[in-house]
Amino acid sequence: MKQLIWILGGFLFFAACQSDEKEVVNVYSHRHYDVDRELMEAFTESTGIEVQLVSASADELIQKLSMEGENSPADILITVDAGRLERAKAKGLFQPVSTPTLQRQVPRHLRDDDNHWYGLTSRARILAYHPNRVERDELSTYEALADDKWEGRILARSSSNVYNQSLLASIIEANGIDSAKTWARKVKENLARSPQGGDRDQIKAVAAGEGDVALVNTYYIGLMLNDKDERVREAAESVELFFPNSEGRGTHVNVSGAGVTRHAPNKENAIALLEYLTGEQAQSRWASANYEYPVNPEVTPSAVLQQWETLNPDTVSLSVLGEKNEAAVRIFNEVGWN
């Protein structure tokens, strides 16, 4: 209820600002990090365009945009994962935009094939393992997690999580739907416990000995290594990291991303914000503050990420993975990965 009140308050704030005829850009965002607000403020300082930000879950924002239709005040939707971005695209919530700056700053595989959305930050889905219980040379690919030797040793969150859905979509794309179904069934049988919690909980469970290897996103490791809580830092320090499929098609990556809404009342300002967020200044700030990989190829990862092995990303189009999200969900349901 508090969140709904806050959102409604944001709409009233939009209306008040529009009545003053200020230069504004209205942003609906699923992201919830302090650094995002800092970047919006920096954009305003640089351009004079005021950012009006409303935060809520991806599902809430997508539903609200759908209900508002052409009367929506939103200019940009920011959310996490190609699956959600493709869902918004399929609902007709984005419009295509393309500029030389955006095309230069965001590689082809990290943006929509039809230019409806662009990646803002990237993260890899890797393996966190306990070195006392797993030899590094035991690890190789995502596919190898289906081996019988991992029975009772793997930790993963629920299949309802879009990160796992996109990983399975990448396996569908690489190996076909039958192989992907076999993989999902066998990995589910190899789980050390019923799926529960988020990625940080999987890392803590490896540290506590509840399992030996966990599927997690890279930026959670960075955040935990720099957490104020010593126990959280110790859990992250107790695991080592492995980037699957590095010697093959590449490690699975995903993005947080944004698109200009179909009925954006401030389209040019929205494009200016997209160009700013994918530019070197914003990309460097995201990389250092949130331990996410930059999408802009001119920006280097943070010092924390550079201490890990070099990321060799799977460059399959994330649009393709978004399109295969429905098939991934269906497989998870069929094999009973709850």
Side-chain angles (χ1 to χ4, degrees):
M1 180 60 71
K2 288 182 179 179
Q3 187 177 53
L4 179 59
I5 292 171
W6 192 83
I7 293 172
L8 293 174
F11 294 154
L12 295 175
F13 192 38
F14 283 168
C17 290
Q18 296 283 13
S19 66
D20 290 339
E21 297 185 352
K22 293 179 181 178
E23 282 292 307
V24 300
V25 58
N26 302 324
V27 178
Y28 286 8
S29 181
H30 174 201
R31 288 176 58 96
H32 51 81
Y33 303 106
D34 291 341
V35 65
D36 288 41
R37 290 185 180 273
E38 294 171 8
L39 289 174
M40 301 301 177
E41 292 169 1
F43 172 76
T44 298
E45 292 176 5
S46 175
T47 64
I49 300 170
E50 189 168 352
V51 180
Q52 307 300 337
L53 182 65
V54 166
S55 296
S57 73
D59 290 342
E60 288 172 323
L61 294 175
I62 289 172
Q63 181 182 18
K64 188 157 286 295
L65 271 173
S66 299
M67 294 175 61
E68 290 170 343
E70 63 184 14
N71 296 316
S72 177
D75 298 304
I76 284 182
L77 171 66
I78 299 175
T79 188
V80 175
D81 191 272
R84 292 191 179 107
L85 290 161
E86 282 297 309
R87 189 191 316 161
K89 175 186 174 182
K91 289 179 174 290
L93 301 181
F94 292 137
Q95 60 175 293
V97 298
S98 180
T99 70
T101 298
L102 287 171
Q103 298 291 309
R104 181 179 69 254
Q105 292 180 168
V106 184
R108 180 178 296 275
H109 69 286
L110 297 179
R111 62 178 189 258
D112 175 52
D113 293 342
D114 301 316
N115 299 317
H116 282 74
W117 55 261
Y118 292 82
L120 298 178
T121 64
S122 179
R123 63 285 301 270
R125 196 136 186 85
I126 63 169
L127 303 178
Y129 68 95
H130 200 289
N132 291 346
R133 302 190 298 275
V134 177
E135 295 292 336
R136 188 173 182 83
D137 60 11
E138 291 185 78
L139 302 168
S140 58
T141 65
Y142 299 108
E143 287 83 351
L145 295 176
D147 291 348
D148 291 341
K149 72 178 182 180
W150 296 112
E151 183 177 357
R153 302 175 69 188
I154 297 173
L155 292 157
R157 62 198 295 174
S158 169
S159 67
S160 64
N161 176 256
V162 74
Y163 302 146
N164 283 344
Q165 292 169 10
S166 289
L167 173 60
L168 183 54
S170 75
I171 293 173
I172 294 172
E173 175 65 15
N175 303 323
I177 199 159
D178 290 338
S179 293
K181 185 182 297 185
T182 299
W183 178 85
R185 178 179 293 109
K186 290 187 175 179
V187 172
K188 181 254 181 180
E189 292 171 355
N190 285 343
L191 293 178
R193 64 180 185 183
S194 298
Q196 56 189 270
D199 281 11
R200 299 177 204 232
D201 296 301
Q202 313 313 316
I203 296 164
K204 293 175 183 176
V206 170
E210 296 179 44
D212 295 339
V213 60
L215 280 163
V216 298
N217 277 353
T218 43
Y219 74 100
Y220 287 112
I221 297 284
L223 291 170
M224 290 179 69
L225 287 171
N226 292 274
D227 198 280
K228 295 179 181 179
D229 189 328
E230 182 180 0
R231 292 170 298 178
V232 174
R233 295 197 305 273
E234 289 177 350
E237 290 166 355
S238 72
V239 303
E240 294 188 7
L241 309 181
F242 185 85
F243 288 57
N245 297 76
S246 285
E247 297 181 3
R249 68 176 181 273
T251 300
H252 171 66
V253 297
N254 212 318
V255 292
S256 62
V260 176
T261 60
R262 183 176 181 180
H263 302 290
N266 304 288
K267 179 179 177 179
E268 295 306 315
N269 292 349
I271 293 174
L273 179 57
L274 275 183
E275 291 182 340
Y276 174 81
L277 293 176
T278 55
E280 292 187 26
Q281 179 180 348
Q283 290 285 294
S284 295
R285 181 67 184 124
W286 258 324
S288 62
N290 220 43
Y291 313 103
E292 297 176 90
Y293 286 97
V295 297
N296 189 320
E298 298 301 317
V299 179
T300 59
S302 70
V304 171
L305 273 64
Q306 290 184 54
Q307 294 174 8
W308 305 340
E309 64 181 276
T310 301
L311 173 63
N312 173 33
D314 185 351
T315 57
V316 65
S317 170
L318 293 186
S319 289
V320 173
L321 302 190
E323 292 165 3
K324 296 185 182 298
N325 176 268
E326 184 176 346
V329 171
R330 185 170 62 251
I331 286 175
F332 276 136
N333 289 337
E334 288 178 6
V335 304
W337 184 328
N338 299 322

